[in-house]
Amino acid sequence: MSDVRIVTEAEHRDWLRAHAVGFVRPPVLTPEQIEARRALFEPGRLLGAFDDGRCVATYRSFAQELTAVGGAPVAANAITNVSVSPTHRRRGLLSRMVEQDLAAAEERGDVVATLIAAEYPIYGRYGFGPVTWSTQWTVEVPRAGLDPRWSGPADGGRIDLVDGEDVRKLGPELFERFRRLQPGAVSRDALWWQMNTGVLRYHGDWTEPFYAVYRAAHGEVEGLVAYTSDEVWHGKQPDQTASVLGLIATTPRAERALWHFLCSIDWITKVKSGYRGPDDLLPLHLPDPRAARITGHADWLWLRILDVVRALEARTYDAAGTVVLEVVDAAGSAGGRFRLEASPEGVSCVPTRAQGADLTLDVAELASVWLGGESVLRLAALGRVQEEREGAARKADALFRSPGRPWCPDMF
């Protein structure tokens, strides 16, 4: 039987090799790649499964904050780098690593656990559920109907090109303001900014992107976009595509100006949006919204609630009401019966022994309505929420409903 344990620093190189194997990548890393990834080693947060001294499964977690509805940050246990070598699949190694890590997260006092799932069917059995979705658009610029004479914002703001060093200075403070406004956004540490501006090159090759910021008339940076471009020409006609790596904005004017800027660059005939929220305004910024074609749509951030009381009390509620929830958690210890009393003025959630719940739902379904991305009524129609009292689903739906859908702009 394979031994699942915390990885030591001396075993990190073998862990990296196993991770490459699990993701079907060449199992040889250069000394530069190994050195760059050394920054990710955090004692106690890497797990591995070892068979006869060889690492055959990998798992890493790190501290994160997730923005709840209303803007409050909650402590999250972020999970990534999960792999099992093809020679050791279906032996329960992932289950053992998940159980060990989530137990440690609960002991630390984390409220939720998060991950980006490479495959949909894997994590539901551990109490995770998809809570944000992402949509990708491709804008056909000539069809968009935008003014080809546009040369910059007419609101007194301006757009400036900057470099990676500027981004490392300006980006963190801008992003902190942004993520307080966006339920589903997760924190970015210094390593994130180094990796995404080419200081740390985990995968070897690096293509320097273009960076542009929007500055409001009073001088504050309100938006940032990173993008690349190909070099496609047909005969003597340019047909280039700008691919957005990330675009964040703290005001509608900044977001609108940055999209218009991307669509106004000479030689650019297509703009690929990157991963956006499903209710993103991008198509509606265009005089002809049909010029933005959906080219991808899928689940994105997955969430597992570890502490029901703290999670439900962390968010805000625009409606007032009381609901008793029977939360089922077959894979963990978050289950139980809870009485939620909420209003715009405040919230209280307590375990209760009161007879009869209003609704019964799995901890994964609770996560999706907690973050505001799903409707209780929809889940009831799907049979994933059981209504114990007539009208309870509609009442809870009004309670959990939030303005706008959650969005997580980051991969981790």
Side-chain angles (χ1 to χ4, degrees):
M1 184 175 182
S2 300
D3 177 27
V4 172
R5 65 173 186 268
I6 293 174
V7 175
T8 67
E9 190 165 6
E11 296 169 323
H12 189 212
R13 182 169 184 161
D14 190 30
W15 185 93
L16 290 171
R17 178 202 51 75
H19 175 260
V21 169
F23 280 84
V24 201
R25 296 170 180 160
V28 177
L29 284 81
T30 66
E32 292 76 18
Q33 289 174 315
I34 293 172
E35 183 59 32
R37 297 180 191 207
R38 188 182 301 278
L40 295 175
F41 181 84
E42 183 179 348
R45 299 299 291 259
L46 271 72
L47 293 176
F50 293 82
D51 188 353
D52 197 23
R54 182 182 181 88
C55 188
V56 295
T58 64
Y59 186 108
R60 182 170 74 89
S61 68
F62 61 94
Q64 185 185 72
E65 285 185 345
L66 170 72
T67 303
V69 175
V74 299
N77 177 64
I79 299 166
T80 186
N81 298 144
V82 178
S83 74
V84 178
S85 294
T87 54
H88 286 72
R89 51 200 299 273
R90 302 296 182 266
R91 301 187 188 184
L93 298 182
L94 174 59
S95 295
R96 291 166 60 191
M97 291 190 295
V98 170
E99 290 165 4
Q100 183 171 329
D101 179 62
L102 293 185
E106 289 186 23
E107 187 173 341
R108 280 192 305 269
D110 292 333
V111 179
V112 298
T114 59
L115 56 84
I116 307 289
E119 297 181 62
Y120 195 99
I122 295 176
Y123 294 99
R125 63 182 184 267
Y126 305 117
F128 287 85
V131 295
T132 77
W133 294 68
S134 71
T135 303
Q136 298 163 273
W137 282 272
T138 297
V139 177
E140 302 288 343
V141 174
R143 287 190 50 198
L146 294 168
D147 184 357
R149 298 167 299 175
W150 188 85
S151 61
D155 56 11
R158 57 181 290 168
I159 293 175
D160 295 315
L161 290 171
V162 297
D163 59 24
E165 184 178 358
D166 296 317
V167 171
R168 289 189 292 276
K169 294 175 182 177
L170 300 171
E173 192 274 334
L174 171 67
F175 184 77
E176 284 303 301
R177 286 187 279 125
F178 162 79
R179 76 178 179 104
R180 293 292 187 264
L181 303 171
Q182 180 58 64
V186 296
S187 55
R188 296 175 177 176
D189 59 14
L191 285 176
W192 188 97
W193 293 100
Q194 292 173 4
M195 182 177 69
N196 286 275
T197 57
V199 175
L200 290 177
R201 304 182 182 185
Y202 297 151
H203 301 296
D205 294 338
W206 167 257
T207 299
E208 184 74 12
F210 300 95
Y211 304 102
V213 297
Y214 171 89
R215 286 186 170 90
H218 59 276
E220 184 174 66
V221 174
E222 295 182 344
L224 167 67
V225 62
Y227 65 97
T228 60
S229 176
D230 59 16
E231 297 185 43
V232 176
W233 286 66
H234 297 292
K236 291 291 289 181
Q237 296 295 324
D239 188 16
Q240 297 189 190
T241 299
S243 297
V244 174
L245 305 179
L247 187 154
I248 58 170
T250 58
T251 62
R253 64 188 174 199
E255 183 173 330
R256 182 169 57 249
L258 287 173
W259 285 123
H260 203 159
F261 164 73
L262 290 166
C263 292
S264 72
I265 300 172
D266 289 341
W267 299 358
I268 297 297
T269 60
K270 296 182 182 66
V271 173
K272 291 186 176 181
S273 71
Y275 298 106
R276 309 296 299 172
D279 57 349
D280 196 272
L281 294 176
L282 169 58
L284 301 180
H285 286 315
L286 310 176
D288 184 354
R290 294 184 186 179
R293 295 181 294 109
I294 292 178
T295 50
H297 178 75
D299 57 286
W300 194 249
L301 183 72
W302 286 59
L303 182 71
R304 193 207 199 286
I305 291 180
L306 301 174
D307 188 322
V308 172
V309 169
R310 291 170 64 203
L312 293 182
E313 290 188 340
R315 60 158 288 175
T316 58
Y317 301 82
D318 289 343
T322 300
V323 62
V324 177
L325 305 172
E326 185 73 34
V327 180
V328 178
D329 185 6
S333 59
R337 186 169 296 173
F338 303 89
R339 179 182 178 87
L340 174 67
E341 297 183 52
S343 74
E345 286 70 46
V347 57
S348 170
C349 180
V350 295
T352 180
R353 295 183 180 180
Q355 272 197 324
D358 298 318
L359 296 171
T360 299
L361 71 170
D362 190 83
V363 68
E365 315 304 342
L366 178 61
S368 66
V369 299
W370 171 73
L371 201 53
E374 190 51 271
S375 156
V376 177
L377 283 172
R378 279 166 48 94
L379 293 177
L382 290 167
R384 289 155 57 182
V385 168
Q386 184 174 346
E387 190 176 54
E388 309 294 354
R389 298 185 194 277
E390 187 176 354
R394 182 171 296 277
K395 182 179 179 181
D397 189 71
L399 193 63
F400 280 101
R401 189 173 296 276
S402 63
R405 296 182 66 175
W407 175 48
C408 177
D410 291 336
M411 167 76 77
F412 57 89

